Every structure is written in C-alpha cells, then in structure tokens.
Amino acid sequence: MESTEKDVVILAVESSCDETAAAVVKNGREVLSNIISSQIELHTQYGGVVPEIASRKHIEKINQVMEEALSEAHMTLDEMDAIAVTYGPGLVGALLVGVAAAKAVAYAAGKPLIGVHHIEGHISANYIENKELKPPFLCLVVSGGHTHLVRVEDYGVYKIVGRTRDDAAGEAFDKVARAIGLGYPGGPKIEKVSREGNADAIVFPRAKIAENPYDFSFSGVKSAVLNFINGCKMKDIPVVQADVAASFQKAVTDVLIEHAMMAVKEFQIDKFAIAGGVASNNTLRTGMQEACKKAGVEFYYPSPVFCTDNAAMIGTAAYYEYLAGRRDGWDLNAVPNLKLGER
Ligand code: KG4
Ligand code: ZN
C-alpha cells in the first residue's frame, strides 16, 4: 500500500446506464461533490432505457457534469490525484462515453486513470456514510442489472455467493410495473402504490434453486404476476393494482432477506450491507434491518442517492484501487459484461 498521509482526491465518472454522473471524493469517504444528470424522464416515454438515446445524452452532458463536479468541490483538475471511471458492466455505448471522457481528461492533465467495476462501486457506496465499515462483510447488490450476494473479503477482493439466474431484482420491479400499468422506472412506483395495498392478498412464488441455495430467480414471480392479471381479465375480476404491487414486492423482498440471512449464518459474518437501486426500497430496508437485528448482525445501507447510480461510489471504490497501486493504461476499454473480481 502507498502512504496515506497525503490527501487523495479523485474525480470519478459514471455513465453505465441512464445517469450521467461525476463526483469528487477525498480519501475515499468524503464526498466533495456528487453531480447526477438523470435521463429517466427521457426514457419514461419509451417504457425503459433506450441504449442509443442514453449514449447520445451522455455525450451531451458528460463535460458539463465533470466541470460541475469540480466547481462544486471548489477544486481544479490539477488538484486531482487520479481520474476514475466505470468501465463495465453496463450498456457498451453508454460506458464508452464515460471511458473516453475520463481518458481524455486524465491524458490532458497528466493524471493516472483508474477503471472501476460498477458493482464494486455500488458495494463501496456503503463506505461513504458508514466511516467505520471495513471488510470483511456480506453485501447484497440489487439493481436494475444485477442481483449478487457478495462476500467482501477485503477492499477489492470479492467472492460471489449467489446471483440471479435470470432477471435482476430491479428488472423484475420494472417489468411488473409495466404490466400493471405503472410505467418506468418500476421500483419507486411499485413501492409507492404498495403502501395502499395488502401484501398478503396474493401469494406469489418464491423460487428456490436446487444447485445453489443462494442463487435467485425472478422470472417466475414476474410470470406469476402476468398470469394473475390475465386470469382476472378473463374472469372479469377487477385487478387491485395496489394489492398486486404489494404482494409482488413482498415475494421479492422475502427471498432477498431469506438468502441474505442464510449466508450470514453459514459464513458467520457479523456485518451485512445492501447496495444498488433496489436497496433504496423501504420494505427491503426495514425487513433486512429486522432480520439482521434478530441475527445479531450489524446492518449497513447507503442513503437512496448513493443506492441508485452515482459517481461518488465510483470515486470511493477507486480510492482503494489507488491505494493498492492499480492504474489503467490509455487502452482502457468499455467491457459491457465485465465480471466482478476480474481485472
Ligand atoms: O443501481 P441502479 O440505479 O442502476 C443499475 O445499476 O441497474 O438501479 C436501478 C434499478 C431500477 O430497476 C429501479 O426500478 C430500481 O433500481 N429501484 C427500485 C427502487 N428505486 C429504484 N426498486 C425497488 N424499490 C425502489 N424504491
Ligand atoms: Zn447501478
């Protein structure tokens, strides 16, 4: 490890999906600025993220967002110790915009470049507000593209315990929201409508995977919701949107909590964290909090702004990569299906 006496300030860039984001992070845990330009409204009219539109919008916004991140932090590019960027996984065209911008800025300013794995970023979001949190801990990463149960053994050292076999948890929220007429993005809309509904009204399936009890599958619950709606239509029974939403949300969060607690027990880890867009869901947060309390495990979660895509989490992850001496060359490329723990 390099000396940590001097402050390390990193400009981080994130553009893997539909947020163009840049942040300045000091010593890994102090966020000096966190600028997020969301494209959600633009994609809502299409019912989901349109990759080509996302790339174009990133190009329009990226320079402005980086400049804002520096000016809000009251710092100049010259004062940065490194430039970090998400290089995968994600939409290839979207990733390329951030990677190209970060390379250009790093090259022009003569700064080191650090490519960051998007999931490592999500996990690292937990360090921002929990200054005492250190590995080892278990982390459930639940987003629109990923559902991973991960053992964080050290900074930058990850073991995947379980993952989804089909849809990601957030993807299931998005698809079910569309099916019951709520639109995109599904997660926050399902959560809101669920408050008016009965979570025990309909029992949707909780999938179990024989080969690995920690793996997840959410395509079954999604199909069950679709079948339920079709059945109601055929029998001319009105669909109670709030009950369907609440029952679906419960089916998904029950499985996430059950797998998490199984892992906590087996691996005897006394710290558990959640991360990713779905981690901002209150039913999941409170359910996980209760389960952790019962199991005598410390529970960690980021504020919603650090759950969904942002660049502060990339700056935090990059800090530990920086300390470990990892640097990337000018040949850094976007890797849309980058695996966690592979560099
Ligand atoms: O982490 P994120 O911003 O992007 C990815 O890396 O995928 O996560 C976005 C996902 C979407 O699927 C969205 O529906 C879901 O997170 N999400 C939620 C909530 N807020 C966002 N899901 C459930 N409840 C929420 N409150
Ligand atoms: Zn994400």
Side-chain angles (χ1 to χ4, degrees), residues 196-313:
E196 317 296 323
N198 173 9
D200 299 315
I202 312 143
V203 180
F204 289 126
R206 279 97 167 130
K208 287 217 184 331
I209 310 287
E211 304 94 87
N212 180 2
Y214 296 112
D215 276 356
F216 303 94
S217 167
F218 294 111
S219 67
V221 59
K222 176 198 67 193
S223 304
V225 173
L226 297 179
N227 289 340
F228 176 81
I229 294 168
N230 285 337
C232 288
K233 278 184 188 155
M234 273 159 62
K235 289 179 221 146
D236 229 4
I237 304 169
V239 176
V240 184
Q241 199 188 40
D243 285 353
V244 176
S247 302
F248 160 77
Q249 180 173 262
K250 184 156 193 288
V252 172
T253 51
D254 277 357
V255 168
L256 294 173
I257 296 167
E258 191 191 317
H259 288 201
M261 289 308 114
M262 231 160 49
V264 155
K265 229 178 172 178
E266 178 174 340
F267 301 113
Q268 305 262 308
I269 296 180
D270 59 358
K271 286 179 275 181
F272 189 87
I274 53 172
V278 184
S280 58
N281 182 286
N282 253 313
T283 302
L284 179 64
R285 286 158 97 95
T286 50
M288 211 56 111
Q289 180 127 43
E290 274 171 33
C292 282
K293 199 172 167 199
K294 240 193 222 160
V297 168
E298 200 67 44
F299 177 55
Y300 299 88
Y301 53 92
S303 290
V305 70
F306 297 123
C307 284
T308 43
D309 288 350
N310 65 88
M313 68 185 196

Side-chain angles (χ1 to χ4, degrees), residues 120-129 275 302 306-307 310 313 316:
E120 178 170 19
H122 274 304
I123 294 170
S124 304
N126 278 288
Y127 298 135
I128 298 170
E129 294 154 298
F306 297 123
C307 284
N310 65 88
M313 68 185 196
T316 297

Side-chain angles (χ1 to χ4, degrees), residues 23-92:
V24 176
V25 179
K26 186 169 141 185
N27 299 329
R29 302 205 182 211
E30 198 180 327
V31 177
L32 302 184
S33 64
N34 186 29
I35 310 296
I36 304 167
S37 168
S38 174
Q39 305 177 2
I40 283 183
E41 269 178 39
L42 195 64
H43 297 285
T44 298
Q45 55 188 308
Y46 302 101
V49 178
V50 184
E52 181 63 15
I53 295 178
S55 318
R56 281 166 193 246
K57 207 68 195 166
H58 284 312
I59 294 174
E60 270 175 43
K61 293 282 179 186
I62 194 90
N63 286 336
Q64 184 193 333
V65 163
M66 286 193 292
E67 274 165 26
E68 262 183 64
L70 286 169
S71 83
E72 204 168 278
H74 303 292
M75 295 194 83
T76 63
L77 194 51
D78 252 4
E79 291 172 286
M80 298 297 113
D81 292 283
I83 313 296
V85 63
T86 306
Y87 74 110
L91 301 170
V92 67

Side-chain angles (χ1 to χ4, degrees), residues 149-168:
L149 191 54
V150 181
R151 271 169 74 180
V152 183
E153 302 197 330
D154 201 347
Y155 295 108
V157 182
Y158 306 97
K159 284 249 162 66
I160 297 171
V161 175
R163 69 179 84 210
T164 182
R165 296 285 179 113
D166 39 57
D167 292 349

